[in-house]
Every structure is written in C-alpha cells, then in structure tokens.
C-alpha cells in the first residue's frame, strides 16, 4: 500500500471545505447552476436520471480495507446501500444528495480518498494493472510510476482545462490487463539494453464515437524523462487540440488528423525544450515514492499446502479455485479475483455489507489490501494458498464466489438507460438476462474465455468496441435496439470489433448472443481455440449468416 | 440532454410536462400548475401547444435555486385521465430503474 504524506492530506481536506462552501452557496442561490456545474464536476458529481451521481477515484485500483469500509459507509449513510465499480478504477454512487455530498467527501477524506479529477476536462484518475506489484514476471511495480504521475498531474493548472478529458494507463506486464491501447496515453514499462527502466509510450487510443487503437509514439522513454515527455505530449495537445467541437476534442482525433509521425515530431520538438528542466525525475524522488509503498511480509510457504490438497476433493471449491485464483510472484500465494458478476445481478455492483465483509476478509487473508480491475471485478492480491478453502467459504456466504471470472457471464456493462442521462438504451437488464442464459457453469466453461461488453450509447463507457462480443444500445423510433460487434479485444493485441449486421431489438439480444456462441462452438477448430481467435480465423461472415439467416 | 434554449425551436406534438431534478437531492420533479414542483407526475401541469410549453419551461427555468436541467417531456393521458410517461426514459425517471437494485446481502 501507499502511504500519503501530509501535503496530500492537507490538499484533500482543503478541497472538502472548499466544496462544502460551494454547495452551501449553490443551495442558497448565491451560485447559479451554470456557475456551479464546473465546480461539482471537479468533485466528481454528475447529474443522472434519478439523482446526482458521485464518482470516487481509486488510484491505480488499490484500496486498503479501511478505505473499502469508508466506501461501504458512504453507500450506507448517503446512498442506497450499494456502489458501482466502473471500468476506470472508480466507484460510483447513484443516489447521492447534493446537500449531503460534503459530508460524504469528508468521510472519505479521513481515509485519504477523494473525487478530484474523476470528471471534467482534466487528467483523470491514472489507471494501472490491478495485479501491479504481485503479477509473476512483472518487470517492476507500475504503481510507483502511476503515483509519480498522479502527484504531478493532480490539480496541475496546465492539465485542469484541457480540450477534453485525458486518461493515462500503465502496465508493466507482457499481458496487458490495463487496456493501455484504448487510453489517451498508454505506458508500457520496459527495460532498455542497459537494464534501465523506461516506457514504450503509446498515444491516441480511445473509444467513444470515433474509436482508435493507440499508436506507439516513442519506443523508449527513460524513466527519468517520464514527466517531461508526458508534459510535452500534453502541451502539443493543449496547443492544437480542438476546443470548438466536443466530438473532435480528444487527443486521438489530433493524432489521427496530424498523423502519428507529424504528431511525434511536434512532441519531440517540445520535449527538447523540456527534457533537461526541473521535470527530470531525480532518482532520489523516485526512491522516496518507492519507499512509501509497503509490501507484505510474505511467509515462506509451500507451493502445494495440505489444506489445498484436501480441499481439491471438493469439486465446487476446485471449480472456483481454477476460475478465480491466479499465480502470484511469491511461492505459496495466489491473487484471487472476486467476481462482481453473480447470475442475474448488475455487473460491478457491491452492497455495503459485501464491502464491509470483504474488508474483513482482506484483513484476515490479504494483508488488508483490495484491488479494483477494469473488468469491474475486485481482487485480493496476496492470499496464502493454504487459506484459499477458508476464503472461498467466506466469500460464498456473502455471494462473492461466483466462479465465472473471464467467462461469458463476466460481463462489462455501463449503467445505461436505467441511470444515465446520455443513454439510448438499457445495458444492465441485457447483462442480467445474458448471465441467466449462461448460468450453467459447465456450459460456460466449455465456451471458455469470452468477454461480452455492453454500452448504452456510443460514448462506450462499457467498452463495447473491444468486447469479444460488443453490444451497443441505439435508438430507433423511440425503441431500444442494439448493434452487435464481434472480434474486439482490449489486451496487448487490442482491436475494434466488427459489426455483424443491422441492429436487433431489445427482446432479441440474448437470443442473438446465444446464436453467436453456438456458431462458435460448432466452428472452432479445437476446444483450445478462443472465441476471438475463431472470429479472427473465419471473419464475421459465418456468424452473420447464423444470426440473420432466420431473422 | 436537450437544453431549454434548443427546445425553443421544438414544437410539441402531444400532451407534455416540464420536468427537472430537484437541486438539493437530485430527485425527479415535475412543474405544477401552481408554479411549484412535485415529485409526483400526476401533479404535473399539462401543456398541449407549443406556446404554453415554452411559457411553462421559461417559468421553470427561472427557478434556478429549486431545480436543475428543466426540459419538456412527452406524456400520455389515459382514457381515465391518468398522466403516464411518454417514453421509456421518462418512465424510468418517473418509476425508477427497471432492474432490481441490490439489496444488502
Ligand atoms: C453519469 C454517467 C456517465 C457519463 C455522463 C459518462 C460520460 C461519458 C462520455 C461523454 C464519454 C465519451 C468521451 C469521449 O468520447 O470524448 C465517456 C467515455 C467513457 N466512460 Fe463514461 N460516463 C458515465 C459513466 C461511466 C461509467 C459507469 C464508466 C465505467 C463503467 C465509464 C467509463 C468510461 C470509459 C471507459 C469511456 C471510454 C473511454 C474513452 O474515454 O475513450 N463512464 N463517458
Ligand atoms: S456508454 Fe452512454 S449510456 Fe453508458 S454510461 Fe456511458 S454515457 Fe451513459
């Protein structure tokens, strides 16, 4: 975990009192909504259909048990007893009252969490691999660099009024769990020939109306130059990015319009002016931040403890373990993914009671740490393998042991028309119906890894473009329709899915997805060929035929 | 969302109401004929022509302290005179989400 310093705490507290005053002035009429809107957005407060929505940042997805309990308290005290974990390592509360928001912020500030830069045209919460610091084969803990970026960009005046929102993601593993190729800047931590830490820098990725996969702008930027290089990119963006048209304002459009070579050249020129400035990272500063991350005192444990051998006879345990426990960099430990996708439930939602119970389990079994991933699941990053059976039983009791991680019912879905004022169509009930259709674990297991992503409008908060199957809500004559794409992916081989044909009505979506999955089962060349690979090999035609032949 | 200004150009095609969110808690509210707000759609003032709609909206927008994001929304009036939301979005705003919200485990 990272320990915040005094400066951070002061800043967060000052921000709360400032916002308390702003809310007071808004409620008394001293501030108009026009004046207030930008202030509330700077504190993560949106207006949705039923109420205000409050978005809280979970920097690089790391939470302490204490922080998770504070989130549970906010859910219970100021909301309706639950929260929604999002694809950007945030949590959202859907029923918050403006008048109570300052209190909620104050409760969160006590445990060092806040809502700054979770909305508005600024640098958003820097996201990272939810397995950072524990993934086997990881080059280095990317959270150190996420934290350096977080500190540098928080309330930085130059980054507070960008042409549009700006998102950075970092990974330090070969397998990209942070979806860096769909971010404005993607950073892949690597080492050069001399063993020095640096980054492959990608730029211009994003989803929404005009989706792009990020392109590499520089194959290696030395760690000490990370801030100056990122700043050079942002300066070029600030200078040329379009402020006249919201649909063209993201950096991806600029990169696309200038071309990556021209864009890279502009950045390089800017960087030459900045690279040997005060932005150069002093190794001592990096070390100081590194030293603020504490790692658990791992025990020396056997690879295969007796507890695990015994429990392996229980098929239900074994099913969960195979699905949810992943290799850890330290022998005898596992990373455990907690599915927030129980059959029939809204993806990513957790109740206050579940959060509290999970915080207790984290204290008992994971050195008090919890992680949040972009798939809208949680993780306990350091579980001793001998504790897996006990953990499983405890998770099962609180409804958090659904063994469907990475399977067809592990769906990413945005709030859609049930909550969101921008939506064309509902997302959550589609996800709920699909989890019921694929509730049979043996079938889901047979199907294998398959990511279904659902967005209620083209803004793509549910990452539909990069779902193996993507579902996008559109509106036709006042009715909900859905466009279906297949073959997208969000990992190191990220690509956008391909539309299979005309949009289908609400009532038919689940049938269509079942048809697509059945077609895949018939077409795959072996059990080992994943859905996306079959689509890659055969293209969309056979799937299209199957879906539309009878419709 | 359509801003009130853009709606100036819009002509209504059927019975409509003015709806917004209440400033202090965000709750969905409807403009009443008594120049106030109600959380109950059945209390809403109904307008049937574009001039009345524009006037009701103008009066609603003027209450910046009480309400935010006021706009004109379609409704249907049943044979029994009951006011019902005119589309799915308004149905969800008026009656709540179409999904069961999680209940504490
Ligand atoms: C009140 C609810 C929300 C509003 C108003 C909203 C608004 C938006 C808008 C306008 C965009 C498009 C930005 C662009 O293309 O320039 C967007 C993109 C996105 N949002 Fe949301 N969003 C909401 C909820 C969420 C939720 C719940 C999630 C996570 C589950 C999320 C994650 C994202 C992601 C990942 C993107 C696309 C990536 C990108 O920036 O290109 N948002 N959102
Ligand atoms: S994708 Fe559209 S509907 Fe879904 S949360 Fe984002 S803005 Fe709302």
């Amino acid at each position: 975990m990272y320990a915040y310093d005094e400066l951070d705490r002061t800043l967060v507290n000052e921000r709360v009192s400032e916002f308390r005053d702003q809310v007071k002035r808004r409620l008394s009429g001293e501030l108009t909504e026009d004046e207030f809107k930008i202030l509330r957005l700077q504190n993560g407060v949106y207006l949705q259909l039923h109420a205000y929505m409050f978005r809280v940042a979970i920097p690089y997805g790391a939470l302490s048990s204490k922080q998770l309990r504070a989130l549970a308290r906010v859910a219970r005290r100021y909301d309706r007893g639950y929260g929604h974990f999002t694809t950007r390592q945030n949590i959202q509360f859907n029923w918050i009252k403006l008048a109570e928001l300052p209190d909620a912020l104050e409760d969160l500030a006590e445990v060092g969490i806040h809502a700054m830069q979770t909305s508005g045209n600024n640098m958003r919460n820097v996201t990272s691999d939810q397995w950072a610091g524990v993934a086997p084969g990881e080059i280095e803990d990317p959270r150190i660099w996420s934290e350096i970026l977080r500190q540098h960009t928080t309330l930085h005046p130059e980054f507070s009024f960008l042409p549009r929102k700006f998102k950075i993601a970092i990974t330090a593993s070969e397998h990209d769990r942070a979806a860096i190729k769909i971010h404005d800047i993607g950073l892949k931590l690597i080492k050069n020939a001399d063993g020095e830490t640096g980054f492959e820098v990608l730029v211009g990725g994003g989803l929404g109306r005009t989706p792009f996969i990020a392109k590499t702008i520089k194959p290696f930027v030395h760690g000490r130059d990370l801030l100056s290089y990122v700043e050079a990119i942002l300066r070029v963006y600030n200078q040329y990015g379009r402020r006249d048209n919201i649909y063209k304002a993201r950096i991806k459009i600029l990169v696309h319009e200038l071309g990556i070579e021209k864009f890279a050249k502009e950045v390089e020129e800017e960087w030459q002016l900045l690279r040997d400035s005060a932005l150069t990272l002093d190794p001592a500063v990096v070390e100081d931040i590194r030293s603020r991350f504490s790692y658990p005192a791992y025990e020396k444990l056997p690879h295969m403890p007796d507890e695990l051998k015994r429990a392996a006879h229980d098929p239900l345990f074994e099913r969960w373990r195979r699905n949810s426990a992943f290799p850890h960099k330290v022998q005898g430990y596992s990373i455990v993914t907690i599915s927030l996708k129980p059959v029939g439930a809204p993806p990513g939602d957790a109740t206050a009671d579940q959060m509290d119970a999970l915080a207790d389990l984290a204290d008992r079994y994971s050195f008090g740490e919890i992680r949040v991933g972009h798939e809208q699941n949680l993780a306990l990053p350091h579980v001793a393998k001998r504790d897996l059976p006990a953990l499983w039983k405890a998770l099962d009791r609180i409804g958090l042991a659904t063994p469907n991680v990475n399977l067809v019912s592990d769906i990413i879905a945005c709030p859609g028309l049930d909550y969101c004022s921008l939506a064309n169509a509902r997302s959550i009930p589609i996800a709920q119906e699909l989890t019921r259709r694929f509730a049979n674990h043996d079938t889901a297991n047979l199907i294998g890894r398959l990511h279904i992503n659902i967005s209620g409008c083209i803004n793509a908060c549910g990452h539909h473009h990069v779902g193996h199957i993507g579902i996008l809500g559109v509106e036709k004559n006042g009715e909900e329709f859905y466009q279906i794409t297949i073959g997208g992916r969000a990992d190191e081989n990220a690509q956008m899915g391909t539309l299979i044909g005309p949009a289908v009505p609400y009532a038919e979506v689940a049938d269509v997805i079942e048809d697509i999955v059945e077609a895949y089962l018939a077409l795959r060349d072996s059990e080992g060929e994943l859905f996306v690979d079959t689509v890659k090999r055969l293209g969309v035609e056979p799937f299209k035929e199957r879906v539309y032949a009878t419709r | 969302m359509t801003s009130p200004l853009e709606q100036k150009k819009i002509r209504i095609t059927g019975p409509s109401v003015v709806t917004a969110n209440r400033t202090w808690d965000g709750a969905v509210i409807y403009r009443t004929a008594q120049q106030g707000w109600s959380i109950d759609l059945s209390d809403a003032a109904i307008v049937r022509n574009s001039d009345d709609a524009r006037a009701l909206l103008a009066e609603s927008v003027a209450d910046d302290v009480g309400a935010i994001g006021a706009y004109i929304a379609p409704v249907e009036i049943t044979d029994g005179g009951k006011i019902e939301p005119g589309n799915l979005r308004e149905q969800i705003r008026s009656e709540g989400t179409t999904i069961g919200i999680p209940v504490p485990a």
Side-chain angles (χ1 to χ4, degrees):
Chain A
M1 289 304 299
Y2 180 78
Y4 284 101
D5 62 15
E6 206 46 53
L7 185 73
D8 272 298
R9 281 195 289 269
T10 310
L11 188 129
V12 170
N13 288 332
E14 282 175 4
R15 189 59 179 265
V16 175
S17 21
E18 184 185 73
F19 191 56
R20 187 179 290 287
D21 181 55
Q22 290 161 348
V23 169
K24 200 169 127 213
R25 286 191 287 144
R26 170 70 187 114
L27 293 176
S28 72
E30 213 177 306
L31 287 177
T32 64
E33 179 60 19
D34 274 353
E35 290 162 335
F36 180 68
K37 187 173 177 186
I38 180 161
L39 304 173
R40 71 169 158 80
L41 286 176
Q42 282 167 358
N43 291 284
V45 184
Y46 285 79
L47 184 70
Q48 298 200 111
L49 294 183
H50 310 277
Y52 292 96
M53 179 272 274
F54 177 39
R55 185 183 284 164
V56 176
I58 302 170
Y60 36 89
L63 277 176
S64 67
S65 54
K66 208 167 127 193
Q67 290 173 324
L68 185 56
R69 281 190 199 97
L71 293 172
R73 207 157 49 235
V74 166
R76 200 174 280 124
R77 211 179 271 176
Y78 309 104
D79 207 273
R80 297 201 176 169
Y82 69 101
H84 177 73
F85 288 95
T86 81
T87 51
R88 291 215 76 260
Q89 299 180 324
N90 292 312
I91 182 169
Q92 296 184 174
F93 297 102
N94 290 307
W95 304 93
I96 211 98
K97 299 178 173 71
L98 183 61
E100 294 181 350
L101 256 160
D103 294 339
L105 274 169
E106 194 168 303
D107 287 5
L108 293 176
E110 275 171 26
V111 293
I113 39 187
H114 60 76
M116 282 181 261
Q117 287 165 262
T118 59
S119 54
N121 294 333
N122 51 42
M123 182 74 79
R124 299 292 184 86
N125 189 23
V126 175
T127 55
S128 188
D129 185 350
Q130 68 270 29
W131 292 0
V134 289
E138 181 174 82
I139 298 169
E140 197 182 304
D141 191 338
R143 289 176 301 167
I144 290 148
W145 301 92
S146 315
E147 179 55 26
I148 290 171
L149 277 168
R150 189 193 69 83
Q151 290 188 7
H152 181 66
T153 57
T154 298
L155 303 185
H156 188 307
E158 216 179 311
F159 307 151
S160 297
F161 298 94
L162 295 168
R164 196 79 180 91
K165 58 174 87 165
F166 203 92
K167 304 175 178 177
I168 299 184
I170 309 187
T171 178
S173 286
E174 207 40 58
H175 179 58
D176 174 12
R177 279 171 293 265
I180 64 167
K181 288 193 173 172
I182 54 170
H183 280 76
D184 297 278
I185 292 182
L187 297 170
K188 184 175 176 192
L189 191 148
I190 48 178
K191 297 265 185 192
N192 68 7
D194 297 328
E196 294 168 311
T197 300
F199 297 88
E200 178 184 347
V201 180
L202 295 89
V203 70
L207 301 174
R209 188 173 301 262
T210 327
F212 285 108
I213 299 292
K215 297 184 182 70
T216 299
I217 175 172
K218 207 169 173 68
F220 187 82
V221 171
H222 196 287
R224 68 172 170 257
D225 297 323
L226 178 65
L227 293 183
S228 58
Y229 196 77
V230 165
E231 184 134 346
I233 293 176
L234 277 150
R235 284 199 179 176
V236 172
Y237 174 49
N238 238 338
Q239 188 177 349
Y240 296 111
R242 292 190 46 178
R243 291 167 196 267
D244 59 321
N245 180 339
I246 190 172
Y247 300 122
K248 303 209 162 169
R250 294 289 288 268
I251 197 173
K252 62 190 175 187
I253 306 288
L254 180 64
V255 171
H256 178 71
E257 285 181 355
L258 281 182
I260 186 74
E261 287 80 19
K262 176 101 193 330
F263 184 82
K265 194 166 153 277
E266 294 281 345
V267 171
E268 195 65 27
E269 280 168 19
E270 193 66 40
W271 185 47
Q272 293 311 324
L273 305 174
L274 288 173
R275 63 180 297 185
D276 294 319
S277 67
L279 288 171
T280 304
L281 278 164
D282 183 339
V285 170
V286 179
E287 276 324 300
D288 179 54
I289 290 188
R290 199 185 301 276
S291 72
R292 291 175 158 278
F293 280 89
S294 59
Y295 293 87
Y298 296 113
E299 292 172 69
K300 221 174 146 18
L301 295 175
H303 172 64
M304 198 23 134
D306 291 340
E307 291 87 344
L308 206 54
K309 281 186 209 145
R310 275 199 301 276
H313 298 298
D314 180 344
L316 289 180
F317 167 75
E318 207 35 30
R319 184 174 87 178
W320 172 82
R321 185 194 63 79
R322 280 170 193 274
N323 181 261
S324 314
F326 296 90
H328 194 282
K329 67 174 186 190
V330 178
Q331 177 181 296
Y333 287 84
S334 292
I335 305 166
V336 173
T337 299
I338 315 280
S339 166
L340 292 183
K341 320 289 174 69
V343 173
D349 281 4
T351 65
D353 292 351
Q354 285 175 325
M355 290 186 235
D356 274 337
L358 192 61
D360 292 346
L361 292 176
D363 281 340
R364 194 170 323 148
Y365 298 119
S366 183
F367 298 92
E369 248 192 86
I370 302 98
R371 301 287 179 82
V372 184
H374 87 267
E375 298 86 352
Q376 300 181 285
N377 288 323
L378 303 178
L380 294 179
H382 331 272
V383 180
K385 285 183 171 176
R386 59 155 191 248
D387 294 333
L388 285 171
L391 173 64
W392 169 64
K393 282 200 180 116
L395 286 172
D396 195 38
R397 278 196 290 274
I398 53 171
L400 292 179
T402 315
N404 65 347
V405 176
N406 291 329
L407 298 181
V408 60
S409 54
D410 184 0
I411 296 170
I412 293 179
C414 80
L417 189 57
D418 281 293
Y419 293 103
C420 175
S421 57
L422 304 177
N424 290 321
R426 287 171 290 166
S427 310
I428 296 170
I430 300 274
Q432 289 173 309
E433 176 60 17
L434 287 170
T435 63
R436 289 187 204 104
R437 298 277 178 117
F438 294 105
N440 182 308
H441 182 78
D442 294 332
T443 313
N445 213 28
L446 182 80
I447 297 164
R449 193 181 183 104
L450 205 174
H451 297 297
I452 300 181
N453 295 1
I454 312 175
S455 306
C457 82
I458 194 64
N459 285 324
C461 305
H463 289 191
H464 65 274
H465 299 101
V466 291
H468 294 177
I469 298 178
I471 304 177
L472 163 64
V474 293
E475 191 205 298
K476 276 193 189 176
N477 303 323
E479 301 288 320
E480 296 168 287
F481 273 74
Y482 296 84
Q483 289 182 352
I484 315 249
T485 50
I486 59 174
R489 55 199 301 170
D491 58 6
E492 58 281 7
N493 301 312
Q495 67 171 44
M496 304 299 165
T498 308
L499 190 65
I500 62 163
V504 297
Y506 179 85
E508 283 179 36
V509 176
D511 290 343
V512 167
I513 304 303
E514 275 192 325
D515 283 353
I516 292 172
V517 171
E518 274 170 26
Y520 153 66
L521 290 175
L523 290 164
R524 67 180 176 187
D525 66 8
S526 69
E527 277 196 19
E529 189 180 54
L530 298 187
F531 175 83
V532 260
D533 295 326
T534 306
V535 176
K536 191 169 173 195
R537 181 167 58 82
L538 297 173
V540 301
E541 277 312 315
F543 296 92
K544 189 171 175 169
E545 220 165 88
R546 172 68 186 254
V547 168
Y548 294 100
T550 54
R551 281 191 174 79
Chain B
M1 217 169 11
T2 321
S3 85
L5 264 181
E6 286 166 55
Q7 283 202 348
K8 285 213 175 96
K9 289 173 247 153
I10 295 175
R11 313 210 135 258
I12 61 168
T13 52
S16 301
V17 298
V18 168
T19 180
N21 290 80
R22 189 159 62 193
T23 305
W24 74 269
D25 66 348
V28 175
I29 48 177
Y30 302 94
R31 191 71 181 172
T32 67
Q34 291 75 40
Q35 305 195 322
W37 296 98
S38 168
I39 53 168
D40 200 340
L41 178 57
S42 62
D43 295 335
I46 305 292
V47 286
R48 294 174 189 274
N49 65 58
S50 302
D51 286 344
D52 288 352
R54 242 171 275 139
L56 188 66
L57 182 62
E59 161 205 317
S60 308
V61 169
D63 179 14
D64 185 65
V65 187
I68 87 175
Y71 64 95
I72 300 164
V75 290
E76 280 166 20
I77 314 282
T78 64
D79 291 342
K82 190 168 179 281
I83 310 175
E84 288 189 342
N87 58 35
L88 179 61
R89 183 178 193 274
E90 292 309 321
Q91 182 204 313
I92 290 171
R93 287 183 76 245
S94 164
E95 293 158 23
T97 60
T98 65
I99 52 175
I101 64 173
V103 283

